[in-house]
Amino acid sequence: MGSCGRRAWQELLVLLSSLCLGVGAAQPTPPGPTHSPGSQLKFRLAGYPRKHNEGRVEVFYNEEWGTICDDDFTLANAHVLCRHLGFAAAAGWAHSAKYGKGVGRIWLDNVNCAGSEKSIGDCKHRGWGNSDCSHEEDAGVICKDERIPGFKDSNVIETEQSHVEEVRLRPVVSGARRQLPVTEGIVEVRYKDGWAQICDQGWDTHNSRVVCGMMGFPAEKKVNRNFYKLFTERQQLNYRLHSVSCTGTEVHLSLCAFQFYRGNASAACGAGMPAVVSCVPGPLFASGNGHKRKQRQQQQGQARIRLKGGAKVGEGRVEVLRSSEWGTICDDRWNLQSASVVCRELGFGSAKEALTGARMGQGTGPIHLNEVQCLGTEKSLWSCPYRNITREDCKHTEDAAVRCNIPYMGYENLIRLSGGRSRFEGRVEVAVGAVEGAEPRWGLVCGEGWGTLEAMVACRQLGLGFANHGLQETWYWDASNVTEMVLSGVKCAGHEMSLNHCQHHGTSLNCRKTGTRFAAGVICSETASDLLLHAPLVQETAYIEDRPLHMLYCAAEENCLSSSARLANWPYGHRRLLRFSSQIHNNGRADFRPKAGRHSWVWHECHRHYHSMDIFTHYDILTPNGTKVAEGHKASFCLEDTECEEDVAKRYECANFGEQGITVGCWDLYRHDIDCQWIDITDVKPGNYILQVVINPNFEVAESDFTNNAMKCNCKYDGHRIWVHSCHIGDALSEEANKRFEQYPGQLNNQIS
């Protein structure tokens, strides 16, 4: 009886368990388990353009390749992924699908690694396949080019490398070997630990155009094939690619159709020879001065496109000139083909990146174009199909930008930093006497006269972005055995590619303080602020006030009146002041902070506030020929966030000795009714003038763009009233419109059309 009961009980358990399994099968299946053994996962780097140690991260899970979302992504995540890929560590990571958008599943989201995990599956995440991202948020990594010793790549899917990453031009003409940029040579692709050639059978100008674009050149030209045939007949060749067929619009050779040679390819290519390309450099990189002048002359009067806000040459927000006014392009449908047309039009190569979402800072003024759709063959962006903008279409948060391929010039090998806490700072050391085959002599730069503009050029040459500070003393970075001053009198405009392009004393060194503590230094930054004045507000708020002298004692103490005020019969009489409001926006990618730290701010008892910058703005009244007839200045007695754009939080407030600055997306308002917000025009005679306001006039604080720091207005003063009109930012108009503005004949009456 007992055994029968036990058997019945077991049968009942089996029945119940089968019912439970049936119910379970009816439930929706989850996207996948929350963890997975590392051995089942495979990883690869994908996307373009990229090197072998960087790219979009793709993970093979559940028999399907997918990507990882960039939400909450960190360097620790990148370390774990780079180790999966056989690299020792990560050097950085990339967001917003820098290497192009992937396809298929987004396997991981909100990944949070400590950095020591053996598998990405061991890190915290939302669960496999559980994501609220789109492929526009695909994460990428940049791994250190150092392999893990003995690493065996179990993730190799094909035995042969099936993509082309690195391409170079190898010069063979003796003169060309020493000259940079290399504009002509044999096309070679990276293969294993060396370089291999491409068979030129079927090679045409479309292929050459793509290679030249990759090398940073806007166009290709014919090459003497017979010379190279004689040369290569005596060479040991190793062919890798053949049957290359490009359309000419590709931004990378890997996007063209081609075939690989398999196995031993030394006897391949038949009657062909290695592909040879000759490129035409853009104006900035043309070696002959005569050629450079000729190209500049051709471009004069035709420049209808420019790049703004980029740290490096060949990158920036795209701005176009239309109806004599510069404006931006909306990023709807912005892609590499349209970006490449921009790059080539400006004298660079094809585009490395087509950036969206105002990645190079927000522009101002009109947004001229939307949905630009170039084929890639156009000579100018204006030849591409586009849609005119409507008010609802776009905002400046959608400004399009580009990063272009530029020729390798080797400038970064002639400069280095020493002694800093990170690679972004240190004492500047430059190489002199660097000739082929000889070791360069390293020396220091004299700190006298060294400022923000010079630091901007040094940071650009180093490839480290913008300058945060230019330092004239570097005693705290005394960590190098380099002690000799080799460069003095450096004076840069700020746009140069190398310190050697700036004015300097050359071999005639002239430095009063030659000790190493007085050597120049820099602190660089990947981002910078960008201040500009809201021009319409100046025009709307300008008026004249006759202010009694007894109310101006504090203003006189801060030098806010013209020099003749000292001779006035104080406290009797008055001064005539042109007053207006200033609204100063930060449209850059970093907060604007005063150069001086809080410990060195100056307290002014009269106005009872701190000055964080001695001169924050210059106010001038100029004659049409540029002669100054009245001037004023404003110290930054309070830099703070008065108002901000939607979704931007205020960070700076002057009250209670608070931190001063202007946050990205915020503005500081100086009202017309506060002291020193004026120009003393007591001594100005009636006439037609130009009102000019310049922010950050002494370049005390680094910005991404100083050309938009000035604002100008036409004004007519009849001795009693003033009319201010045509206010605009200094670089907002075409050269022709600026000339018309400066040659303005003046108002004959008070009717301003």
Side-chain angles (χ1 to χ4, degrees):
M1 187 71 182
S3 80
C4 289
R6 274 198 301 275
R7 191 179 299 113
W9 180 246
Q10 285 169 348
E11 286 173 359
L12 181 63
L13 282 173
V14 169
L15 180 63
L16 285 169
S17 63
S18 67
L19 282 169
C20 290
L21 286 170
V23 171
Q27 296 297 317
T29 55
T34 54
H35 65 277
S36 173
S39 59
Q40 293 179 4
L41 300 177
K42 293 180 182 178
F43 297 88
R44 68 184 180 190
L45 294 175
Y48 61 86
R50 65 183 185 86
K51 294 179 182 175
H52 67 284
N53 57 327
E54 63 177 326
R56 180 177 64 248
V57 180
E58 296 192 346
V59 56
F60 190 70
Y61 171 80
N62 205 17
E63 301 302 314
E64 188 179 349
W65 284 102
T67 62
I68 298 175
C69 181
D70 63 10
D71 289 354
D72 302 330
F73 207 86
T74 64
L75 191 62
N77 298 355
H79 281 312
V80 175
L81 287 163
C82 284
R83 287 198 297 272
H84 270 306
L85 293 156
F87 295 97
W93 62 279
H95 58 86
S96 305
K98 177 184 174 181
Y99 299 102
K101 292 187 280 189
V103 293
R105 300 286 294 272
I106 298 173
W107 277 125
L108 292 172
D109 189 7
N110 300 111
V111 180
N112 184 6
C113 302
S116 57
E117 292 87 349
K118 289 188 176 179
S119 168
I120 197 77
D122 298 335
C123 302
K124 293 177 183 175
H125 55 81
R126 290 178 60 154
W128 290 91
N130 184 7
S131 168
D132 59 358
C133 299
S134 71
H135 281 296
E136 290 178 349
E137 300 166 86
D138 283 345
V141 294
I142 303 102
C143 302
K144 287 183 179 174
D145 197 1
E146 180 187 340
R147 301 293 288 179
I148 296 171
F151 178 82
K152 289 183 180 176
D153 194 349
S154 59
N155 301 320
V156 175
I157 297 162
E158 299 174 60
T159 53
E160 283 282 341
Q161 183 187 21
S162 61
H163 55 277
V164 174
E165 292 173 350
E166 237 177 304
V167 181
R168 74 173 185 183
L169 282 185
R170 178 165 64 90
V172 298
V173 183
S174 57
R177 287 181 202 167
R178 290 191 298 272
Q179 248 182 2
L180 288 175
V182 175
T183 58
E184 182 175 306
I186 296 171
V187 184
E188 296 186 329
V189 296
R190 172 73 76 180
Y191 180 52
K192 294 183 178 175
D193 294 327
W195 294 89
Q197 294 77 42
I198 302 174
C199 181
D200 76 342
Q201 286 181 326
W203 188 271
D204 61 15
T205 55
H206 295 312
N207 300 351
S208 298
R209 177 178 167 84
V210 172
V211 171
C212 287
M214 289 176 65
M215 298 296 112
F217 303 112
E220 74 293 338
K221 63 180 181 180
K222 283 186 178 177
V223 66
N224 184 348
R225 191 170 177 271
N226 292 331
F227 166 81
Y228 284 92
K229 192 166 182 66
L230 287 169
F231 175 82
T232 54
E233 279 172 356
R234 302 190 297 272
Q235 302 287 311
Q236 178 68 39
L237 300 171
N238 177 26
Y239 288 105
R240 176 78 180 123
L241 268 64
H242 67 94
S243 306
V244 178
S245 179
C246 305
T247 63
T249 61
E250 296 90 348
V251 296
H252 198 280
L253 199 64
S254 62
L255 302 175
C256 302
F258 56 80
Q259 293 182 34
F260 287 101
Y261 284 110
R262 305 290 176 183
N264 181 17
S266 56
C269 201
M273 58 173 270
V276 178
V277 161
S278 185
C279 306
V280 180
L284 275 175
F285 305 98
S287 51
N289 286 334
H291 180 59
K292 200 180 281 188
R293 273 199 301 273
K294 186 180 176 185
Q295 282 195 314
R296 278 183 186 151
Q297 285 166 4
Q298 287 172 351
Q299 287 192 333
Q300 275 179 359
Q302 299 174 5
R304 295 182 64 197
I305 191 163
R306 68 185 184 187
L307 300 182
K308 303 284 278 186
K312 299 174 185 174
V313 174
E315 68 174 33
R317 181 177 61 254
V318 182
E319 295 191 354
V320 292
L321 186 64
R322 192 179 197 184
S323 305
S324 298
E325 190 173 9
W326 288 99
T328 61
I329 295 176
C330 186
D331 64 10
D332 292 352
R333 299 201 181 187
W334 186 246
N335 61 19
L336 282 164
Q337 275 65 43
S338 300
S340 290
V341 171
V342 169
C343 290
R344 290 183 190 269
E345 187 176 354
L346 290 165
F348 306 115
S350 50
K352 267 196 296 196
E353 291 181 73
L355 301 168
T356 57
R359 287 269 297 280
M360 291 289 177
Q362 294 183 34
T364 55
I367 301 171
H368 283 319
L369 307 178
N370 189 19
E371 294 188 17
V372 178
Q373 296 178 68
C374 301
L375 298 172
T377 55
E378 297 87 350
K379 295 281 187 192
S380 168
L381 191 75
W382 293 100
S383 305
C384 302
Y386 61 85
R387 211 160 62 82
N388 286 317
I389 210 85
T390 62
R391 186 163 291 185
E392 298 78 29
D393 279 339
C394 291
K395 297 176 181 176
H396 280 297
T397 52
E398 300 168 82
D399 284 343
V402 296
R403 281 198 180 103
C404 306
N405 286 312
I406 65 167
Y408 174 73
M409 301 299 291
Y411 294 138
E412 67 275 19
N413 299 326
L414 304 175
I415 188 171
R416 67 188 185 191
L417 299 181
S418 69
R421 295 162 297 179
S422 74
R423 69 188 187 94
F424 283 90
E425 65 178 32
R427 180 180 285 166
V428 177
E429 297 179 1
V430 293
V432 291
V435 292
E436 192 179 15
E439 280 292 314
R441 179 167 59 94
W442 289 93
L444 306 175
V445 180
C446 179
E448 288 171 27
W450 182 267
T452 303
L453 296 179
E454 290 70 36
M456 281 177 74
V457 176
C459 291
R460 181 179 297 121
Q461 188 176 351
L462 286 157
L464 295 178
F466 301 101
N468 240 352
H469 296 292
L471 304 157
Q472 296 188 355
E473 287 191 33
T474 52
W475 51 267
Y476 37 81
W477 285 334
D478 208 0
S480 172
N481 57 3
V482 176
T483 57
E484 183 190 1
M485 290 280 184
V486 295
L487 197 61
S488 66
V490 179
K491 188 172 178 59
C492 303
H495 56 73
E496 297 88 349
M497 289 186 279
S498 160
L499 287 176
N500 282 331
H501 297 164
C502 302
Q503 295 178 29
H504 55 82
H505 291 153
T507 53
S508 308
L509 201 69
N510 183 10
C511 188
R512 285 174 297 173
K513 299 175 180 177
T514 54
T516 55
R517 66 169 293 167
F518 299 109
V522 294
I523 300 174
C524 304
S525 171
E526 291 180 325
T527 55
S529 59
D530 184 20
L531 297 189
L532 67 159
L533 195 66
H534 185 56
L537 187 66
V538 175
Q539 188 167 310
E540 291 161 11
T541 56
Y543 65 95
I544 286 175
E545 179 193 9
D546 288 337
R547 194 162 182 82
L549 282 173
H550 68 83
M551 300 175 73
L552 292 171
Y553 279 105
C554 282
E557 185 184 298
E558 293 191 13
N559 292 319
C560 293
L561 302 174
S562 62
S563 55
S564 64
R566 290 196 296 269
L567 307 174
N569 185 22
W570 291 77
Y572 308 106
H574 67 269
R575 303 299 292 179
R576 177 156 289 185
L577 309 174
L578 169 58
R579 308 193 74 144
F580 50 86
S581 296
S582 292
Q583 188 172 297
I584 297 158
H585 292 244
N586 182 1
N587 277 19
R589 291 183 287 151
D591 294 355
F592 184 92
R593 301 295 310 278
K595 183 179 180 180
R598 195 193 303 212
H599 63 281
S600 59
W601 294 353
V602 179
W603 173 256
H604 281 252
E605 183 63 36
C606 197
H607 279 133
R608 301 195 64 76
H609 56 237
Y610 285 95
H611 283 188
S612 57
M613 289 173 69
D614 286 338
I615 297 178
F616 179 53
T617 48
H618 272 168
Y619 305 142
D620 299 311
I621 297 287
L622 312 171
T623 62
N625 67 8
T627 306
K628 198 180 292 185
V629 294
E631 62 182 46
H633 76 270
K634 183 137 188 50
S636 62
F637 58 69
C638 178
L639 278 177
E640 67 176 2
D641 298 327
T642 310
E643 292 292 339
C644 297
E645 291 172 6
E646 200 177 339
D647 301 328
V648 178
K650 296 180 184 179
R651 295 182 63 184
Y652 302 105
E653 191 174 4
C654 298
N656 303 318
F657 196 38
E659 287 289 350
Q660 292 195 24
I662 307 175
T663 305
V664 175
C666 298
W667 55 91
D668 188 7
L669 177 65
Y670 286 100
R671 285 172 51 93
H672 57 85
D673 53 0
I674 62 174
D675 263 10
C676 297
Q677 187 58 38
W678 63 55
I679 304 177
D680 184 350
I681 61 169
T682 307
D683 306 320
V684 175
K685 296 174 182 175
N688 292 292
Y689 297 100
I690 292 171
L691 164 63
Q692 179 176 275
V693 179
V694 184
I695 310 166
N696 193 15
N698 299 333
F699 313 116
E700 277 189 57
V701 178
E703 297 184 48
S704 60
D705 185 6
F706 287 114
T707 61
N708 58 11
N709 282 30
M711 185 225 65
K712 294 182 176 182
C713 308
N714 281 129
C715 55
K716 172 184 169 63
Y717 175 49
D718 67 0
H720 306 286
R721 295 166 296 175
I722 197 159
W723 291 269
V724 176
H725 61 102
S726 304
C727 294
H728 64 279
I729 299 299
D731 69 341
L733 305 181
S734 66
E735 288 179 21
E736 209 174 286
N738 265 325
K739 281 178 187 170
R740 284 199 302 270
F741 173 86
E742 286 162 8
Q743 293 166 3
Y744 181 68
Q747 290 295 117
L748 301 176
N749 54 45
N750 62 358
Q751 301 300 310
I752 297 167
S753 56

